[in-house]
Amino acid sequence: MNITKKDIDNLNAVLTVEISKDDYSDKVESILKNYRKNANIPGFRKGHVPMGMVKKQYGTAILVEEVNKLLQDNLHKYLTEEKLDVLGNPIPKNEKDVDWNEEDFTFEFDLGLAPQFDVDVKGKKAITHYKVVADDKMINNQVETIRKQYGKLIAKDTVEDGDEITGTFTLDEKDIDNPATFSTEDIKGKKQLKALKEAKIGDVVTLKTKGLFNDDHDNQKQLGVSHDDAHGLDIDVDFKVEEINTREMAELNQEFFDKLFGEGVVTSEEELKEKIKEDAEKQFAQQSDQKLLNDVVENLIENTKFDLPDEFLQRWIQVSGEKPMTEEEAKAEYERSEKGLRYQLIEGKIRNENEALQVSFDELKDHSKQMIKAQMAQFGNTNPSDEELDGIAARILSNEEEVKRMTEQLNTTKMLQYFKENAKLKEKEISYDDFIKEASK
């Protein structure tokens, strides 16, 4: 067997594979002899079928199968040994022209080659890393929300601002018969709110759904309609008032603090607010890090310039899936996936050039044990033994899907840390509301 490579340009090449009779004949003959021993053909005793008849019936199929095995095995071996960095898989050029009645065969394959490029992680323009802070307004609102959540419900006969109303929405024509509880603060429509405030327990109020709630999604939850129907819903529904309650907010005392955080962890309103701020900003940091990662990735894709074998990749997409695509479908799919492919190549180069970014088995094991400890702590087991952790971790690491998922998590964590240490960043302090506006741009 002989394999040669001819470069078309820097991104495209053709592999020619020459297979002679000597490469496959012994294997094909061996399989045919085995077929002859086991063939059941009317008129012949088992094992005495003429070889000519066996070859006529099975010879071509066996030849095709064995030659294809040789092709796949040796193509893979060649690409590995030559260290060719290819995109996609080799695409056969002349498979329809092969004459299987010949003894020697020549196959050609198109190759798409990965481009050569440099990655400048630092870049020229600084990328903003937001430090999201919980401001006084947010903290005070959270304190009020928690006090309401842990406060007492007091029954009432009439509705006032801030009250909770429980009842049932009905409309026979739309099959609406849905129990609901909401606050007057959830109501957007002034006329609807006025009608509810004038109602008493047992009254039935007709409400217009258009503009009823601050968020149209509440139509889905409170009226029991579909997500699609919830948006812009404009009908009249009946609402029977069954309960009216006001919430007496919980007192800011030690019993309340202990109920929230455990005995003695928080001892004053100031410490409560500091704890809320600390917990909130931990969550904000995760969101900020995700935006930073997205922004660095976008910046690298935009500023790392290299060409791709576009035509080859579109043809590969067209023929490589379970269901063949048209040229137009393949082109559209390529356009959708091109940015992802570009970053995959950029990230691969960064990882190959930085050994510390590789994920080791010990790191996977440590990561799985930390996850296990966190989960066990939720159920009250805060001090599991090393033997217990090792046993559970071993079971997790035997699951291929779990290993893949954890590897992706660690890869992302390592890349984020690498970008924090190497990219050109500028820190900006920002409120959560302003951060959300920035993130949605």
Side-chain angles (χ1 to χ4, degrees):
M1 178 179 295
N2 184 43
I3 301 180
T4 56
K5 170 175 162 281
K6 178 183 178 182
D7 290 328
I8 306 302
D9 52 41
N10 291 334
L11 298 172
N12 295 275
V14 174
L15 279 188
T16 301
V17 184
E18 296 173 332
I19 297 179
S20 67
K21 184 177 180 180
D22 291 341
D23 295 319
Y24 64 80
S25 58
D26 289 347
K27 183 67 174 176
V28 170
E29 285 297 323
S30 175
I31 294 174
L32 286 171
K33 286 177 181 177
N34 191 51
Y35 268 57
R36 186 188 181 206
K37 289 179 184 177
N38 297 288
N40 287 311
I41 296 179
F44 297 94
R45 284 184 298 147
K46 188 175 181 180
H48 290 76
V49 179
M51 181 57 81
M53 183 174 290
V54 174
K55 286 184 177 181
K56 183 176 181 181
Q57 187 164 353
Y58 302 108
T60 301
I62 293 170
L63 173 65
V64 171
E65 183 177 357
E66 290 307 309
V67 168
N68 278 323
K69 284 181 182 177
L70 276 172
L71 272 175
Q72 296 306 317
D73 291 345
N74 285 278
L75 273 176
H76 177 73
K77 182 180 178 182
Y78 178 85
L79 295 176
T80 302
E81 290 179 348
E82 296 296 318
K83 298 180 180 179
L84 293 180
D85 194 1
V86 299
L87 301 178
N89 292 313
I91 300 177
K93 287 190 68 173
N94 65 330
E95 60 180 346
K96 293 182 180 179
D97 300 328
V98 175
D99 183 356
W100 294 103
N101 293 313
E102 298 290 334
E103 292 185 340
D104 298 332
F105 307 101
T106 299
F107 300 89
E108 291 184 334
F109 296 87
D110 285 327
L111 291 184
L113 305 176
Q116 299 296 313
F117 58 91
D118 295 317
V119 180
D120 181 10
V121 173
K122 186 167 287 292
K124 297 178 181 179
K125 185 178 179 182
I127 297 171
T128 303
H129 187 198
Y130 293 99
K131 181 182 179 182
V132 186
V133 296
D135 55 23
D136 290 341
K137 179 182 177 183
M138 170 177 280
I139 294 170
N140 290 332
N141 286 340
Q142 185 64 18
V143 170
E144 184 177 337
T145 299
I146 295 172
R147 290 182 68 191
K148 285 182 178 179
Q149 181 182 345
Y150 285 87
K152 296 178 182 178
L153 278 178
I154 300 175
K156 299 177 60 181
D157 294 323
T158 57
V159 178
E160 295 180 286
D161 288 336
D163 288 347
E164 290 182 7
I165 308 167
T166 296
T168 303
F169 283 105
T170 57
L171 181 61
D172 292 340
E173 292 83 352
K174 294 287 186 179
D175 293 325
I176 294 175
D177 186 3
N178 202 62
T181 297
F182 52 86
S183 167
T184 57
E185 295 170 354
D186 298 327
I187 301 298
K188 179 181 179 181
K190 293 181 180 179
K191 290 183 178 179
Q192 293 97 318
L193 181 58
K194 182 175 183 293
L196 287 168
K197 282 178 148 183
E198 293 173 350
K200 300 184 294 295
I201 292 176
D203 287 352
V204 176
V205 183
T206 300
L207 300 172
K208 184 174 288 293
T209 60
K210 185 175 182 180
L212 174 59
F213 295 105
N214 292 317
D215 187 344
D216 273 357
H217 286 99
D218 283 346
N219 286 329
Q220 182 180 4
K221 177 178 71 174
Q222 305 290 8
L223 277 69
V225 298
S226 70
H227 179 271
D228 291 341
D229 288 342
H231 289 277
L233 186 66
D234 189 7
I235 55 176
D236 291 338
V237 294
D238 289 335
F239 178 72
K240 183 177 180 180
V241 180
E242 295 163 358
E243 288 184 31
I244 303 169
N245 295 291
T246 189
R247 282 193 179 267
E248 183 181 84
M249 291 197 292
E251 291 185 33
L252 294 175
N253 54 29
Q254 194 59 48
E255 180 184 356
F256 176 63
F257 301 147
D258 291 347
K259 187 182 294 185
L260 286 176
F261 302 106
E263 188 173 348
V265 175
V266 170
T267 60
S268 67
E269 182 178 352
E270 289 72 24
E271 288 182 10
L272 169 65
K273 290 183 177 181
E274 188 58 39
K275 181 68 173 171
I276 290 172
K277 179 180 176 67
E278 178 186 336
D279 291 346
E281 290 182 354
K282 281 182 182 177
Q283 296 181 4
F284 299 160
Q286 293 176 359
Q287 297 178 52
S288 174
D289 282 349
Q290 185 59 56
K291 176 164 175 56
L292 173 64
L293 184 61
N294 294 341
D295 290 346
V296 173
V297 167
E298 285 294 326
N299 184 67
L300 284 172
I301 292 172
E302 182 178 349
N303 293 296
T304 306
K305 304 298 184 183
F306 55 83
D307 293 327
L308 289 169
D310 301 315
E311 184 181 338
F312 169 84
L313 289 170
Q314 289 177 38
R315 285 197 294 125
W316 177 68
I317 289 172
Q318 186 177 356
V319 301
S320 63
E322 292 182 7
K323 185 179 179 182
M325 296 183 180
T326 64
E327 288 186 19
E328 291 74 17
E329 289 172 335
K331 183 178 180 181
E333 178 61 29
Y334 176 66
E335 289 172 352
R336 284 192 294 270
S337 59
E338 183 184 354
K339 282 180 69 173
L341 173 59
R342 286 182 176 277
Y343 180 65
Q344 189 177 353
L345 291 169
I346 293 168
E347 182 182 354
K349 186 173 181 65
I350 294 172
R351 289 191 185 281
N352 288 336
E353 294 176 353
N354 295 273
E355 189 175 343
L357 293 175
Q358 309 304 319
V359 175
S360 69
F361 178 80
D362 286 341
E363 288 174 321
L364 276 174
K365 185 177 179 181
D366 288 342
H367 181 65
S368 65
K369 288 168 72 172
Q370 290 302 318
M371 288 188 350
I372 295 163
K373 286 177 71 174
Q375 291 172 357
M376 294 177 81
Q378 292 177 358
F379 294 96
N381 187 354
T382 57
N383 191 28
S385 67
D386 287 339
E387 184 180 357
E388 190 176 8
L389 290 173
D390 285 339
I392 300 173
R395 289 197 295 274
I396 291 175
L397 293 172
S398 67
N399 185 313
E400 188 176 336
E401 286 299 316
E402 279 296 310
V403 170
K404 180 180 178 182
R405 184 179 65 82
M406 289 192 298
T407 301
E408 289 174 353
Q409 289 178 345
L410 284 174
N411 277 334
T412 300
T413 300
K414 286 193 166 204
M415 285 304 296
L416 175 62
Q417 187 59 37
Y418 176 81
F419 290 147
K420 284 182 177 181
E421 294 171 357
N422 293 278
K424 188 176 183 180
L425 306 179
K426 60 180 179 182
E427 186 173 88
K428 180 179 180 180
E429 197 169 283
I430 191 172
S431 71
Y432 183 69
D433 287 341
D434 288 340
F435 173 73
I436 293 299
K437 292 176 184 177
E438 287 293 326
S440 62
K441 286 181 180 179

